Amino acid sequence: MAALLEIKDLVTAYGRIEALRGVSLQVEQGSITCLLGPNGAGKTTLMMTTAGILRPRSGSIRFAGSEIAGAAPHRIVERGIALVPENRLVFPHMTVLENLRAGAYQRNDAGGIVTDIDRMFARFPRLKERAAQEGGTLSGGEQQMLSVARALMSRPKLMLMDEPSLGLAPLVVEEIFGIIAELHRDGTTIFLVEQNAHMALRVAHHFYLIEQGRITFSGDPGSLAEDEVIHRAYLGSAKV
Amino acid sequence: MLADLVQNTLDGLTAGAAYALLAVGFTLIFGVLRRVNLSYGAAILFGVYFATWTSLHFQADLLVLALLTIAATVLAGAYVERLCFAPHYPSRGSPRAGASSGSIAAMVASFALWMQFEEAAILALPQHLYAFPPLHTGEPLRFGQFFLRVESLYLLLAAVAVCALLYTILYRTRFGLAVRAVVDVPVAAQLAGINLSSVFVRIFALASAIGGLAGFLIAASHEQVTPMLGMWSTVKGMLAMMLGGLGSLPGAVAGGLVLGLVEAHSQWYFGPQMRDLIAYLLIFVLLALRPAWMTRWTSTRSAS
């Protein structure tokens, strides 16, 4: 399989502090790839850099064969990458319907947008019930559904998801991972950041470990004992 | 006594409608960009002076003068936007479009352009006072013993029409959806594929056009212009915006009308020297107490 996303020697810094110190990884077309690592390892920075919100200091990000490192976020959406951001970031003062319309902002096919909104409502019936409600009034789980649905409205080829299970009840987490598997079956490539290593390893085809801004391990689930992965994902590789 | 109260209220609403229009333009820029544009009034001065200059040298229809004022104000606004605001848009590198060193730099730079516009206006038309073609030449409207200037009606109508137009844009168009998304969560708007700086540029142009319209109507109803118009527009527009709670469009209109009413009544009861003092005192008290309705908009935004 070919790599849909190919990141090489990526460095992103906040001022003088390098959050990514030469990250290289690949996301295969049609896969679910997972990035695990402790807090502050650079997971969100990597997502934000790939989506164009942060500008990398050096390195390359190739998507479907073309270089996108440093491109403006709206250009990256245009190419077919959508990010479901950490903490969901739904528009709190816009209705559920408007949130979905905003996700389709770059599309001009009014008919297709209406069809896709119906498809989102079929997939997430709770959103349909709350279509006229403001995003800020939804529960955490519903906001996560909305954030995923909003990202899908741009019809992405690659979906980046930053900690979709963060702060959600176990049952809702199950639901979210069900949706991830479903999206994958429908042909979307998924690059997932997770703290919940146990759940992530159940769906992922391939995973990377990131520690202190560097990739320290990569393999298939099963190539490393799960408790070893979990230990490193939460605490880093330093033995206690 | 009651008759005075009614007449003062009518006068206050007239001035208030002008303040409301000015405040709406101010609010649009502050609400979307979270930046204070100090040269807003000076750009209006530039537009009005351009129209005044034209009317002194050519025969020009009132409608032509109105369009010229708006066009020149938008041009001046574009100059301000490119020079002071565009270099500091948080398009990259900062995940949040909040207050930053960029917002201070933009504000200070816009103050410099205020001075530039004022000097340019004085160089072009050096007298202290010039006549501006009147909006209406007939008698004022009479309701029994009360008077209402027809110009006031135009100003009030324009304020209502501009608000209706803005609401249509914000809630019925694709551009409006983008604006509201940017106001709500800038990063999420970018992730949805909305080009932040293009939204900012268009908001700036829209606010400048509203400022130009306000400037034309104010000059044509005062029937004269002085270089003080820039300072006056900035101060009145900003006061009305603050009264209205910073960043809310209906608040800006209400703030403008309240400011006009407070001025009219305090002038009547305490004399013209006290008029501005009382208006400023009101702002001071409101800022010191910060009632919930005044900070509601800004606080919900930063909490999201």
Short mmCIF file of all heavy atoms in Angstrom, two decimals, chain A residues 14 48 51-55 70-74 77 83 85 89-95 98 101-108 150, chain B residues 91-95 171 174-175 177-178 180-182 184-196 198-199 202 300-301 304:
data_model
loop_
_atom_site.label_atom_id
_atom_site.label_comp_id
_atom_site.label_asym_id
_atom_site.label_seq_id
_atom_site.Cartn_x
_atom_site.Cartn_y
_atom_site.Cartn_z
N TYR A 14 7.78 26.21 19.53
CA TYR A 14 7.11 27.38 20.12
C TYR A 14 8.23 28.27 20.64
O TYR A 14 8.83 27.97 21.67
CB TYR A 14 6.21 26.96 21.28
CG TYR A 14 5.10 26.00 20.88
CD1 TYR A 14 5.24 24.63 21.07
CD2 TYR A 14 3.91 26.48 20.33
CE1 TYR A 14 4.22 23.75 20.73
CE2 TYR A 14 2.89 25.61 19.99
CZ TYR A 14 3.05 24.25 20.19
OH TYR A 14 2.04 23.40 19.85
N MET A 48 -1.65 19.72 14.71
CA MET A 48 -1.85 21.13 14.34
C MET A 48 -0.91 21.55 13.22
O MET A 48 -1.26 22.39 12.40
CB MET A 48 -1.63 22.03 15.57
CG MET A 48 -2.72 21.91 16.61
SD MET A 48 -4.34 22.39 15.97
CE MET A 48 -4.94 23.39 17.32
N ALA A 51 -2.29 20.06 10.00
CA ALA A 51 -3.48 20.78 9.54
C ALA A 51 -3.17 22.22 9.13
O ALA A 51 -4.05 22.93 8.65
CB ALA A 51 -4.55 20.77 10.63
N GLY A 52 -1.94 22.68 9.35
CA GLY A 52 -1.56 24.02 8.89
C GLY A 52 -1.77 25.12 9.90
O GLY A 52 -1.50 26.28 9.62
N ILE A 53 -2.28 24.78 11.10
CA ILE A 53 -2.49 25.82 12.12
C ILE A 53 -1.15 26.29 12.66
O ILE A 53 -0.94 27.46 12.92
CB ILE A 53 -3.37 25.28 13.28
CG1 ILE A 53 -4.74 24.82 12.76
CG2 ILE A 53 -3.53 26.32 14.37
CD1 ILE A 53 -5.65 25.92 12.29
N LEU A 54 -0.22 25.35 12.82
CA LEU A 54 1.14 25.70 13.21
C LEU A 54 2.05 25.56 12.00
O LEU A 54 1.87 24.67 11.17
CB LEU A 54 1.63 24.78 14.34
CG LEU A 54 0.86 24.86 15.66
CD1 LEU A 54 1.32 23.77 16.60
CD2 LEU A 54 1.04 26.22 16.31
N ARG A 55 3.02 26.45 11.92
CA ARG A 55 3.96 26.39 10.80
C ARG A 55 5.22 25.66 11.25
O ARG A 55 5.79 26.01 12.28
CB ARG A 55 4.30 27.82 10.38
CG ARG A 55 4.98 27.92 9.05
CD ARG A 55 5.58 29.30 8.89
NE ARG A 55 4.69 30.25 8.23
CZ ARG A 55 4.53 30.30 6.91
NH1 ARG A 55 5.15 29.46 6.13
NH2 ARG A 55 3.74 31.20 6.36
N GLY A 70 3.56 23.90 5.82
CA GLY A 70 3.54 25.36 5.82
C GLY A 70 2.41 25.98 5.02
O GLY A 70 2.26 27.19 5.00
N ALA A 71 1.59 25.15 4.36
CA ALA A 71 0.45 25.71 3.62
C ALA A 71 -0.60 26.21 4.60
O ALA A 71 -0.66 25.77 5.75
CB ALA A 71 -0.15 24.66 2.69
N ALA A 72 -1.43 27.17 4.15
CA ALA A 72 -2.48 27.72 5.02
C ALA A 72 -3.53 26.64 5.30
O ALA A 72 -3.77 25.77 4.46
CB ALA A 72 -3.13 28.92 4.34
N PRO A 73 -4.16 26.70 6.48
CA PRO A 73 -5.11 25.65 6.86
C PRO A 73 -6.23 25.43 5.83
O PRO A 73 -6.59 24.28 5.55
CB PRO A 73 -5.70 26.15 8.18
CG PRO A 73 -4.81 27.23 8.66
CD PRO A 73 -3.97 27.70 7.53
N HIS A 74 -6.76 26.52 5.25
CA HIS A 74 -7.87 26.31 4.32
C HIS A 74 -7.41 25.61 3.04
O HIS A 74 -8.19 24.92 2.38
CB HIS A 74 -8.61 27.62 4.03
CG HIS A 74 -7.79 28.65 3.30
ND1 HIS A 74 -6.92 29.50 3.95
CD2 HIS A 74 -7.70 28.95 2.00
CE1 HIS A 74 -6.34 30.29 3.07
NE2 HIS A 74 -6.80 29.98 1.87
N VAL A 77 -7.36 21.86 3.96
CA VAL A 77 -8.72 21.30 3.93
C VAL A 77 -9.12 21.04 2.48
O VAL A 77 -9.69 19.99 2.14
CB VAL A 77 -9.73 22.27 4.59
CG1 VAL A 77 -11.16 21.77 4.43
CG2 VAL A 77 -9.42 22.45 6.07
N LEU A 83 -9.23 17.83 10.33
CA LEU A 83 -8.79 17.54 11.70
C LEU A 83 -9.97 17.65 12.66
O LEU A 83 -10.67 18.67 12.67
CB LEU A 83 -7.68 18.51 12.12
CG LEU A 83 -7.30 18.54 13.62
CD1 LEU A 83 -6.78 17.19 14.10
CD2 LEU A 83 -6.24 19.61 13.87
N PRO A 85 -10.33 18.35 16.18
CA PRO A 85 -9.31 18.84 17.12
C PRO A 85 -9.53 18.34 18.55
O PRO A 85 -10.61 17.90 18.92
CB PRO A 85 -9.49 20.36 17.06
CG PRO A 85 -10.90 20.57 16.67
CD PRO A 85 -11.29 19.40 15.80
N LEU A 89 -13.82 21.52 20.02
CA LEU A 89 -13.94 22.86 19.43
C LEU A 89 -15.15 23.01 18.51
O LEU A 89 -15.02 23.53 17.40
CB LEU A 89 -12.66 23.25 18.68
CG LEU A 89 -11.36 23.28 19.45
CD1 LEU A 89 -10.23 23.83 18.58
CD2 LEU A 89 -11.47 24.11 20.73
N VAL A 90 -16.32 22.58 18.95
CA VAL A 90 -17.52 22.88 18.17
C VAL A 90 -17.79 24.38 18.31
O VAL A 90 -17.28 25.03 19.23
CB VAL A 90 -18.76 22.08 18.64
CG1 VAL A 90 -18.51 20.60 18.54
CG2 VAL A 90 -19.15 22.47 20.06
N PHE A 91 -18.56 24.95 17.38
CA PHE A 91 -18.91 26.36 17.49
C PHE A 91 -20.05 26.47 18.50
O PHE A 91 -21.17 26.07 18.22
CB PHE A 91 -19.34 26.92 16.13
CG PHE A 91 -18.26 26.84 15.10
CD1 PHE A 91 -18.40 26.05 13.97
CD2 PHE A 91 -17.09 27.57 15.25
CE1 PHE A 91 -17.39 25.98 13.02
CE2 PHE A 91 -16.08 27.50 14.31
CZ PHE A 91 -16.23 26.71 13.19
N PRO A 92 -19.76 27.01 19.71
CA PRO A 92 -20.76 26.93 20.78
C PRO A 92 -22.00 27.79 20.56
O PRO A 92 -23.06 27.47 21.06
CB PRO A 92 -20.00 27.40 22.02
CG PRO A 92 -18.85 28.19 21.51
CD PRO A 92 -18.51 27.61 20.17
N HIS A 93 -21.85 28.88 19.78
CA HIS A 93 -23.01 29.77 19.59
C HIS A 93 -23.66 29.59 18.23
O HIS A 93 -24.42 30.44 17.79
CB HIS A 93 -22.58 31.23 19.81
CG HIS A 93 -22.03 31.47 21.17
ND1 HIS A 93 -20.69 31.68 21.40
CD2 HIS A 93 -22.62 31.47 22.38
CE1 HIS A 93 -20.49 31.82 22.70
NE2 HIS A 93 -21.64 31.70 23.31
N MET A 94 -23.33 28.51 17.56
CA MET A 94 -23.98 28.20 16.29
C MET A 94 -24.74 26.90 16.46
O MET A 94 -24.34 26.03 17.22
CB MET A 94 -22.93 28.10 15.18
CG MET A 94 -22.40 29.48 14.78
SD MET A 94 -20.84 29.45 13.87
CE MET A 94 -21.26 28.46 12.47
N THR A 95 -25.84 26.78 15.73
CA THR A 95 -26.64 25.56 15.87
C THR A 95 -25.88 24.37 15.31
O THR A 95 -24.90 24.52 14.58
CB THR A 95 -27.99 25.68 15.12
OG1 THR A 95 -27.70 25.77 13.73
CG2 THR A 95 -28.78 26.90 15.57
N GLU A 98 -25.77 24.59 11.64
CA GLU A 98 -24.79 25.58 11.17
C GLU A 98 -23.37 25.06 11.33
O GLU A 98 -22.50 25.33 10.49
CB GLU A 98 -24.96 26.90 11.92
CG GLU A 98 -26.21 27.66 11.51
CD GLU A 98 -26.52 28.84 12.44
OE1 GLU A 98 -26.05 28.85 13.60
OE2 GLU A 98 -27.24 29.74 12.00
N ARG A 101 -22.85 22.96 8.39
CA ARG A 101 -22.69 23.78 7.18
C ARG A 101 -21.31 24.41 7.13
O ARG A 101 -20.69 24.51 6.07
CB ARG A 101 -23.75 24.87 7.14
CG ARG A 101 -25.13 24.37 6.85
CD ARG A 101 -26.08 25.50 6.44
NE ARG A 101 -27.38 24.98 6.13
CZ ARG A 101 -27.68 24.34 5.00
NH1 ARG A 101 -26.76 24.21 4.07
NH2 ARG A 101 -28.90 23.87 4.80
N ALA A 102 -20.81 24.84 8.29
CA ALA A 102 -19.47 25.44 8.34
C ALA A 102 -18.43 24.41 7.90
O ALA A 102 -17.47 24.74 7.22
CB ALA A 102 -19.17 25.96 9.74
N GLY A 103 -18.64 23.15 8.28
CA GLY A 103 -17.71 22.10 7.89
C GLY A 103 -17.64 21.92 6.38
O GLY A 103 -16.64 21.49 5.83
N ALA A 104 -18.74 22.27 5.70
CA ALA A 104 -18.80 22.13 4.24
C ALA A 104 -18.48 23.45 3.56
O ALA A 104 -18.80 23.64 2.38
CB ALA A 104 -20.19 21.66 3.82
N TYR A 105 -17.82 24.36 4.29
CA TYR A 105 -17.66 25.74 3.80
C TYR A 105 -17.05 25.82 2.40
O TYR A 105 -17.42 26.66 1.60
CB TYR A 105 -16.79 26.53 4.78
CG TYR A 105 -16.63 27.96 4.39
CD1 TYR A 105 -17.70 28.84 4.49
CD2 TYR A 105 -15.43 28.45 3.88
CE1 TYR A 105 -17.59 30.16 4.11
CE2 TYR A 105 -15.31 29.77 3.50
CZ TYR A 105 -16.39 30.62 3.62
OH TYR A 105 -16.27 31.93 3.23
N GLN A 106 -16.11 24.92 2.09
CA GLN A 106 -15.43 25.04 0.81
C GLN A 106 -16.16 24.39 -0.35
O GLN A 106 -15.74 24.49 -1.49
CB GLN A 106 -14.03 24.42 0.92
CG GLN A 106 -13.15 25.23 1.83
CD GLN A 106 -11.71 24.92 1.59
OE1 GLN A 106 -11.37 23.89 1.03
NE2 GLN A 106 -10.84 25.81 2.00
N ARG A 107 -17.25 23.69 -0.03
CA ARG A 107 -17.94 22.98 -1.10
C ARG A 107 -18.97 23.89 -1.77
O ARG A 107 -19.58 24.74 -1.13
CB ARG A 107 -18.62 21.74 -0.54
CG ARG A 107 -17.62 20.68 -0.12
CD ARG A 107 -18.26 19.56 0.63
NE ARG A 107 -19.35 18.94 -0.13
CZ ARG A 107 -20.12 17.98 0.36
NH1 ARG A 107 -19.92 17.54 1.60
NH2 ARG A 107 -21.08 17.47 -0.36
N ASN A 108 -19.15 23.70 -3.05
CA ASN A 108 -20.11 24.52 -3.78
C ASN A 108 -21.34 23.74 -4.23
O ASN A 108 -22.27 24.31 -4.79
CB ASN A 108 -19.44 25.15 -5.01
CG ASN A 108 -18.36 26.12 -4.60
OD1 ASN A 108 -18.58 26.96 -3.72
ND2 ASN A 108 -17.19 25.99 -5.20
N ARG A 150 -18.78 17.33 11.56
CA ARG A 150 -18.37 18.58 10.91
C ARG A 150 -17.14 18.35 10.03
O ARG A 150 -17.06 18.82 8.90
CB ARG A 150 -18.06 19.64 11.98
CG ARG A 150 -17.63 20.98 11.41
CD ARG A 150 -17.34 21.98 12.50
NE ARG A 150 -16.21 21.57 13.33
CZ ARG A 150 -15.84 22.18 14.45
NH1 ARG A 150 -16.52 23.22 14.88
NH2 ARG A 150 -14.82 21.75 15.14
N SER B 91 -2.95 34.26 11.47
CA SER B 91 -3.28 33.17 10.56
C SER B 91 -2.42 31.95 10.85
O SER B 91 -2.85 30.83 10.69
CB SER B 91 -3.06 33.62 9.11
OG SER B 91 -1.72 33.97 8.92
N ARG B 92 -1.23 32.14 11.30
CA ARG B 92 -0.30 31.04 11.50
C ARG B 92 0.49 31.24 12.78
O ARG B 92 0.68 32.36 13.25
CB ARG B 92 0.68 30.98 10.33
CG ARG B 92 0.79 29.63 9.71
CD ARG B 92 -0.45 29.27 8.89
NE ARG B 92 -0.57 30.07 7.67
CZ ARG B 92 0.27 30.01 6.66
NH1 ARG B 92 1.28 29.21 6.71
NH2 ARG B 92 0.07 30.74 5.61
N GLY B 93 0.94 30.16 13.33
CA GLY B 93 1.89 30.24 14.44
C GLY B 93 1.24 30.46 15.78
O GLY B 93 1.78 30.08 16.79
N SER B 94 0.04 31.05 15.82
CA SER B 94 -0.64 31.19 17.10
C SER B 94 -1.98 30.51 16.99
O SER B 94 -2.78 30.85 16.14
CB SER B 94 -0.80 32.68 17.44
OG SER B 94 -2.15 33.00 17.61
N PRO B 95 -2.21 29.52 17.82
CA PRO B 95 -3.44 28.75 17.69
C PRO B 95 -4.69 29.53 18.06
O PRO B 95 -5.77 29.12 17.75
CB PRO B 95 -3.23 27.57 18.67
CG PRO B 95 -1.85 27.70 19.19
CD PRO B 95 -1.37 29.07 18.91
N TYR B 171 -26.72 36.01 9.11
CA TYR B 171 -27.51 34.80 9.37
C TYR B 171 -28.07 34.13 8.12
O TYR B 171 -28.66 33.08 8.21
CB TYR B 171 -28.63 35.12 10.35
CG TYR B 171 -28.10 35.35 11.74
CD1 TYR B 171 -27.77 36.64 12.18
CD2 TYR B 171 -27.86 34.28 12.58
CE1 TYR B 171 -27.23 36.84 13.44
CE2 TYR B 171 -27.33 34.47 13.84
CZ TYR B 171 -27.02 35.75 14.27
OH TYR B 171 -26.47 35.94 15.51
N ARG B 174 -23.44 32.63 3.17
CA ARG B 174 -22.27 31.79 3.40
C ARG B 174 -21.17 32.59 4.08
O ARG B 174 -20.51 32.12 5.00
CB ARG B 174 -21.83 31.27 2.03
CG ARG B 174 -20.69 30.29 2.05
CD ARG B 174 -20.56 29.65 0.67
NE ARG B 174 -19.34 28.87 0.59
CZ ARG B 174 -18.17 29.37 0.20
NH1 ARG B 174 -18.08 30.64 -0.16
NH2 ARG B 174 -17.11 28.60 0.16
N PHE B 175 -20.99 33.84 3.61
CA PHE B 175 -19.99 34.71 4.23
C PHE B 175 -20.32 34.94 5.70
O PHE B 175 -19.43 34.89 6.56
CB PHE B 175 -19.92 36.04 3.47
CG PHE B 175 -19.08 37.10 4.16
CD1 PHE B 175 -17.74 36.88 4.39
CD2 PHE B 175 -19.65 38.29 4.57
CE1 PHE B 175 -16.96 37.84 5.02
CE2 PHE B 175 -18.88 39.26 5.19
CZ PHE B 175 -17.54 39.03 5.43
N LEU B 177 -21.92 32.99 7.71
CA LEU B 177 -21.61 31.76 8.45
C LEU B 177 -20.12 31.75 8.81
O LEU B 177 -19.74 31.42 9.93
CB LEU B 177 -21.97 30.55 7.58
CG LEU B 177 -21.84 29.18 8.22
CD1 LEU B 177 -22.94 28.98 9.25
CD2 LEU B 177 -21.90 28.07 7.18
N ALA B 178 -19.29 32.13 7.83
CA ALA B 178 -17.84 32.16 8.06
C ALA B 178 -17.50 33.18 9.14
O ALA B 178 -16.70 32.91 10.04
CB ALA B 178 -17.12 32.49 6.76
N ARG B 180 -19.38 34.28 11.61
CA ARG B 180 -19.81 33.82 12.93
C ARG B 180 -18.91 32.70 13.43
O ARG B 180 -18.63 32.60 14.62
CB ARG B 180 -21.27 33.41 12.87
CG ARG B 180 -22.19 34.64 12.76
CD ARG B 180 -23.58 34.27 12.31
NE ARG B 180 -24.16 33.28 13.15
CZ ARG B 180 -24.92 32.27 12.71
NH1 ARG B 180 -25.17 32.16 11.42
NH2 ARG B 180 -25.42 31.42 13.54
N ALA B 181 -18.46 31.85 12.52
CA ALA B 181 -17.55 30.78 12.91
C ALA B 181 -16.23 31.37 13.41
O ALA B 181 -15.69 30.93 14.43
CB ALA B 181 -17.31 29.84 11.72
N VAL B 182 -15.73 32.38 12.71
CA VAL B 182 -14.46 33.01 13.11
C VAL B 182 -14.61 33.68 14.47
O VAL B 182 -13.72 33.60 15.32
CB VAL B 182 -14.00 34.03 12.04
CG1 VAL B 182 -12.87 34.89 12.57
CG2 VAL B 182 -13.57 33.31 10.77
N ASP B 184 -16.73 32.81 16.81
CA ASP B 184 -16.97 31.78 17.81
C ASP B 184 -15.67 31.08 18.23
O ASP B 184 -15.29 31.14 19.39
CB ASP B 184 -17.97 30.75 17.25
CG ASP B 184 -19.14 30.55 18.20
OD1 ASP B 184 -19.24 31.30 19.18
OD2 ASP B 184 -19.94 29.63 17.97
N VAL B 185 -15.03 30.40 17.30
CA VAL B 185 -13.77 29.69 17.59
C VAL B 185 -12.86 29.81 16.37
O VAL B 185 -12.99 29.05 15.42
CB VAL B 185 -14.00 28.18 17.88
CG1 VAL B 185 -12.74 27.56 18.46
CG2 VAL B 185 -15.17 27.96 18.82
N PRO B 186 -11.93 30.78 16.38
CA PRO B 186 -11.11 31.01 15.18
C PRO B 186 -10.39 29.77 14.65
O PRO B 186 -10.38 29.53 13.44
CB PRO B 186 -10.12 32.08 15.64
CG PRO B 186 -10.75 32.73 16.82
CD PRO B 186 -11.63 31.72 17.47
N VAL B 187 -9.82 28.98 15.56
CA VAL B 187 -9.07 27.81 15.08
C VAL B 187 -10.00 26.82 14.39
O VAL B 187 -9.69 26.27 13.33
CB VAL B 187 -8.35 27.09 16.25
CG1 VAL B 187 -7.61 25.88 15.72
CG2 VAL B 187 -7.39 28.04 16.92
N ALA B 188 -11.17 26.59 15.01
CA ALA B 188 -12.11 25.65 14.40
C ALA B 188 -12.56 26.16 13.04
O ALA B 188 -12.77 25.38 12.11
CB ALA B 188 -13.30 25.44 15.33
N ALA B 189 -12.71 27.48 12.91
CA ALA B 189 -13.10 28.05 11.62
C ALA B 189 -12.04 27.74 10.57
O ALA B 189 -12.35 27.33 9.45
CB ALA B 189 -13.31 29.55 11.75
N GLN B 190 -10.77 27.89 10.96
CA GLN B 190 -9.68 27.57 10.02
C GLN B 190 -9.70 26.09 9.65
O GLN B 190 -9.51 25.73 8.49
CB GLN B 190 -8.34 27.93 10.63
CG GLN B 190 -8.09 29.41 10.73
CD GLN B 190 -6.74 29.69 11.36
OE1 GLN B 190 -6.55 29.50 12.56
NE2 GLN B 190 -5.79 30.11 10.56
N LEU B 191 -9.95 25.24 10.64
CA LEU B 191 -9.97 23.81 10.38
C LEU B 191 -11.14 23.43 9.49
O LEU B 191 -11.12 22.40 8.82
CB LEU B 191 -10.05 23.03 11.70
CG LEU B 191 -8.81 23.11 12.59
CD1 LEU B 191 -9.04 22.41 13.91
CD2 LEU B 191 -7.61 22.51 11.87
N ALA B 192 -12.19 24.26 9.48
CA ALA B 192 -13.33 24.00 8.61
C ALA B 192 -13.05 24.50 7.19
O ALA B 192 -13.90 24.35 6.30
CB ALA B 192 -14.59 24.66 9.17
N GLY B 193 -11.89 25.10 6.99
CA GLY B 193 -11.53 25.53 5.65
C GLY B 193 -11.83 27.00 5.37
O GLY B 193 -11.84 27.42 4.22
N ILE B 194 -12.09 27.77 6.42
CA ILE B 194 -12.38 29.20 6.24
C ILE B 194 -11.07 29.98 6.28
O ILE B 194 -10.25 29.80 7.17
CB ILE B 194 -13.35 29.69 7.35
CG1 ILE B 194 -14.71 29.01 7.17
CG2 ILE B 194 -13.48 31.21 7.33
CD1 ILE B 194 -15.61 29.08 8.38
N ASN B 195 -10.89 30.83 5.29
CA ASN B 195 -9.69 31.65 5.19
C ASN B 195 -9.84 32.87 6.08
O ASN B 195 -10.58 33.80 5.77
CB ASN B 195 -9.47 32.04 3.73
CG ASN B 195 -8.21 32.84 3.53
OD1 ASN B 195 -7.59 33.29 4.49
ND2 ASN B 195 -7.82 33.03 2.29
N LEU B 196 -9.13 32.86 7.21
CA LEU B 196 -9.29 33.88 8.23
C LEU B 196 -9.04 35.28 7.67
O LEU B 196 -9.84 36.19 7.87
CB LEU B 196 -8.28 33.59 9.36
CG LEU B 196 -8.73 33.80 10.79
CD1 LEU B 196 -9.96 32.97 11.08
CD2 LEU B 196 -7.61 33.40 11.75
N SER B 198 -9.11 36.47 4.69
CA SER B 198 -10.09 36.94 3.71
C SER B 198 -11.37 37.41 4.41
O SER B 198 -11.99 38.40 3.99
CB SER B 198 -10.37 35.83 2.69
OG SER B 198 -11.73 35.66 2.48
N VAL B 199 -11.76 36.72 5.49
CA VAL B 199 -12.92 37.18 6.27
C VAL B 199 -12.62 38.55 6.89
O VAL B 199 -13.45 39.46 6.84
CB VAL B 199 -13.27 36.15 7.36
CG1 VAL B 199 -14.24 36.73 8.38
CG2 VAL B 199 -13.86 34.90 6.74
N ARG B 202 -12.78 41.40 4.30
CA ARG B 202 -14.13 41.77 3.89
C ARG B 202 -14.91 42.47 5.01
O ARG B 202 -15.70 43.37 4.76
CB ARG B 202 -14.88 40.52 3.40
CG ARG B 202 -14.40 40.11 2.00
CD ARG B 202 -15.18 38.95 1.46
NE ARG B 202 -14.63 37.69 1.94
CZ ARG B 202 -15.20 36.51 1.74
NH1 ARG B 202 -16.34 36.44 1.08
NH2 ARG B 202 -14.64 35.41 2.18
N THR B 300 -18.55 35.15 27.49
CA THR B 300 -18.94 33.86 26.92
C THR B 300 -17.96 33.49 25.82
O THR B 300 -17.65 32.32 25.62
CB THR B 300 -20.35 33.88 26.30
OG1 THR B 300 -20.45 35.01 25.45
CG2 THR B 300 -21.42 33.90 27.36
N ARG B 301 -17.47 34.50 25.14
CA ARG B 301 -16.58 34.21 24.03
C ARG B 301 -15.25 33.65 24.53
O ARG B 301 -14.76 32.65 24.03
CB ARG B 301 -16.33 35.47 23.22
CG ARG B 301 -15.60 35.16 21.94
CD ARG B 301 -15.26 36.40 21.19
NE ARG B 301 -14.60 36.05 19.96
CZ ARG B 301 -13.35 35.66 19.90
NH1 ARG B 301 -12.63 35.57 20.97
NH2 ARG B 301 -12.80 35.34 18.74
N SER B 304 -15.26 30.06 25.72
CA SER B 304 -15.51 28.96 24.78
C SER B 304 -14.22 28.45 24.17
O SER B 304 -13.24 29.14 24.10
CB SER B 304 -16.44 29.42 23.67
OG SER B 304 -15.85 30.47 22.95
#
